Amino acid sequence: MVMRAADDLPRRETSRFGGRGRVIAVVAVVAVIILAASLQGIAGFYTDYLWFDALDRVAVWRQVLGAKIVLTLIFGGIFFVLLWLNLFLSDRGAPAFRPAGPEEEMLARYHDVVAGRAGLLRIGVSVLFALIASAGVASRWEDWLLFTNRQDFGIKDPQFNTDIGFYVFQLPFLSFVVGWAFAAFVIIFILTAISHYLNGSIRVTPVAGSRATPRVKVHLSAILAVLAVIKAADYWLDRYELTVSGRGVVDGALYTDVNAQLPATYLLIAISLSAVVLLVVNLRLRGWTMPVLAVGLWAFTAIVVGGIYPAFVQRFQVEPNETTREAEFAARNIDATRLAFGLEGVDQREFI
């Protein structure tokens, strides 16, 4: 028996070092792929530096680079904290006992691997998806610099009585932030649900008459409530986006935008806030009825009121009598064009 154990020892050592060698090889291959994919970005980065240096504008290059770094760190850091916190709550809410069944048998190996490494796994997953979520943020550096250096024009638009500077300096970046936040929380919702499933808090096959624990219902309802708040903010900003609508014969908010799309947007804001109320109530009820009702009501309103109704108005009310319907709004477009080109003081004379 002693001789057999001695014979097995070299095999175990060889297997261990062989496994470690495979891990090192995989890491090396991944590193080479990442480096190869980064070469184009590095070349562009250095080319930009040479161009700014040739123009004696290195300070501008540093400002742009600083904006890109700051944006990446801010958005990546925020996503990391949010995802890590939700994964932590998911792990903490895991049931102490997972009932035996087909699903548990499939997940047994996962729990064996993760045992004692849950904290490292949370950090690894959070870092990975934070890198993905912040990958394209740096391209919004110009919107960020405009936002941080915003100024008023002293001229207000005729529809919302808002300074034109808001549309130039603030609206593009705010719209990006809201859109990014919505996408980020959708990803967090999906990963949190997966984490609950892996921890045994969610089951495809009902256990004791339920597919999810009450904590899961509260947790996911809270994330959905945040998504509803973000969507309400998105609809609020969409109102201002109507001022650059391209629906009609000219750019800007025309008849359908003002008389159909705008009321529909206000209704969608109300529906989104109502969904928030339903989801907050569900934190106490801990069921699925409220979330399903909230999401279904919003989806129905978005499709019918937000999409079909404005298209109907444009097709059957505006297009048959476009000249009359759009006269007021076309005049706004003409006035804005004259103001932009400094032609508002030009005298009009008729020559016969």
Side-chain angles (χ1 to χ4, degrees), residues 110-186:
Y110 164 78
H111 291 291
D112 291 340
V113 173
V114 173
R117 304 182 183 90
L120 291 176
L121 180 63
R122 280 197 302 270
I123 293 175
V125 172
S126 299
V127 169
L128 174 62
F129 282 92
L131 292 174
I132 295 173
S134 61
V137 173
S139 63
R140 313 297 299 202
W141 65 268
E142 189 172 3
D143 292 339
W144 165 251
L145 291 178
L146 288 173
F147 180 82
T148 54
N149 296 279
R150 54 190 177 275
Q151 298 291 330
D152 289 338
F153 279 38
I155 303 170
K156 296 184 177 181
D157 75 282
Q159 182 61 44
F160 299 106
N161 198 34
T162 302
D163 192 273
I164 301 299
F166 170 78
Y167 298 95
V168 175
F169 295 105
Q170 295 172 263
L171 183 58
F173 186 72
L174 290 176
S175 297
F176 164 72
V177 170
V178 172
W180 180 89
F182 187 83
F185 271 94
V186 168

Side-chain angles (χ1 to χ4, degrees), residues 11-81:
R11 296 176 186 174
R12 289 198 298 268
E13 292 295 326
T14 302
S15 176
R16 185 177 65 181
F17 286 111
R20 190 175 299 174
R22 286 194 293 270
V23 171
I24 295 174
V26 170
V27 172
V29 171
V30 172
V32 170
I33 293 174
I34 294 175
L35 178 61
S38 303
L39 288 178
Q40 184 177 0
I42 295 172
F45 175 82
Y46 184 60
T47 302
D48 288 342
Y49 171 78
L50 293 176
W51 188 81
F52 279 101
D53 184 51
L55 298 176
D56 196 24
R57 291 291 186 271
V58 176
V60 177
W61 178 82
R62 290 199 190 99
Q63 186 177 18
V64 173
L65 178 62
K68 291 180 178 180
I69 294 174
V70 168
L71 280 176
T72 302
L73 292 177
I74 290 175
F75 283 84
I78 290 174
F79 188 91
F80 171 83
V81 171

Side-chain angles (χ1 to χ4, degrees), residues 74-90 122 126 129-130 133 180-189 191-192 219 223 226 230:
I74 290 175
F75 283 84
I78 290 174
F79 188 91
F80 171 83
V81 171
L82 290 173
L83 180 57
W84 183 91
L85 178 61
N86 281 278
L87 293 179
F88 173 77
L89 294 175
S90 171
R122 280 197 302 270
S126 299
F129 282 92
W180 180 89
F182 187 83
F185 271 94
V186 168
I187 295 173
I188 290 172
F189 178 86
L191 293 176
T192 302
H219 192 179
I223 298 176
V226 174
I230 296 173

